[in-house]
Amino acid sequence: INGVSYGWGNIKLVLFGVPVVGITKIDYKSKQTKENLYGSGYKPVSRGYGKYEYEGSIEIYTEEWKRIIAAAPNRDPLSIAPFDIEVVFMGDRVAPEKDSLKMCEFLENPLSSSEGDTSIKVTIPLIIGDIVR
């Protein structure tokens, strides 16, 4: 509690062991199925817990994405073996922290651009096996 909170400049994303500087957004979450279970009466008598699910995406500049494609087997980023993504929170006056996205794979190889764009970014959805915070 030092009055300083994390900002975008405090995030370093490490992909394939290399810090990615062309990233503009990271998005990930976990969720678990939960449901009330009913018996006699109108109110729940217990709660059931189900599976965990993980999802996420990264947004990066096309130049960075093209470098990943060039290094991928057969230039196909969808065929890259599962990999981890490290999201490192660091900087002056903030406590260092790290989230690990485990067993990730790219789900799409997109590209979209419009007239007037001064940069081209792509959003790549991920399948994630676990999130360790």
Side-chain angles (χ1 to χ4, degrees):
I1 309 218
N2 58 7
V4 179
S5 65
Y6 296 116
W8 179 249
N10 297 110
I11 294 177
K12 178 173 77 171
L13 184 116
V14 180
L15 187 59
F16 309 117
V18 178
V20 179
V21 295
I23 186 164
T24 58
K25 183 178 181 181
I26 178 79
D27 181 31
Y28 53 94
K29 67 180 176 181
S30 60
K31 63 182 177 179
Q32 182 184 22
T33 303
K34 298 179 183 183
E35 93 180 288
N36 286 331
L37 305 175
Y38 295 85
S40 178
Y42 295 110
K43 296 186 179 186
V45 296
S46 64
R47 181 162 291 144
Y49 297 88
K51 64 184 175 181
Y52 277 87
E53 296 180 70
Y54 308 94
E55 61 184 65
S57 65
I58 59 172
E59 181 182 81
I60 60 177
Y61 287 109
T62 300
E63 302 83 49
E64 195 86 58
W65 182 235
K66 296 266 185 208
R67 284 191 278 280
I68 292 170
I69 291 171
N74 299 319
R75 296 183 56 84
D76 180 6
L78 304 181
S79 65
I80 296 172
F83 53 91
D84 293 348
I85 298 175
E86 303 294 327
V87 182
V88 182
F89 301 85
M90 53 187 264
D92 296 336
R93 301 182 318 172
V94 294
E97 294 283 337
K98 178 175 76 171
D99 290 349
S100 295
L101 313 182
K102 302 293 190 180
M103 298 294 291
C104 298
E105 291 185 65
F106 300 121
L107 291 175
E108 296 178 8
N109 183 5
L111 178 69
S112 179
S113 184
S114 301
E115 188 281 323
D117 288 351
T118 59
S119 66
I120 302 173
K121 295 180 261 187
V122 292
T123 300
I124 303 114
L126 302 168
I127 185 169
I128 301 169
D130 193 10
I131 297 174
V132 179
R133 298 185 191 253

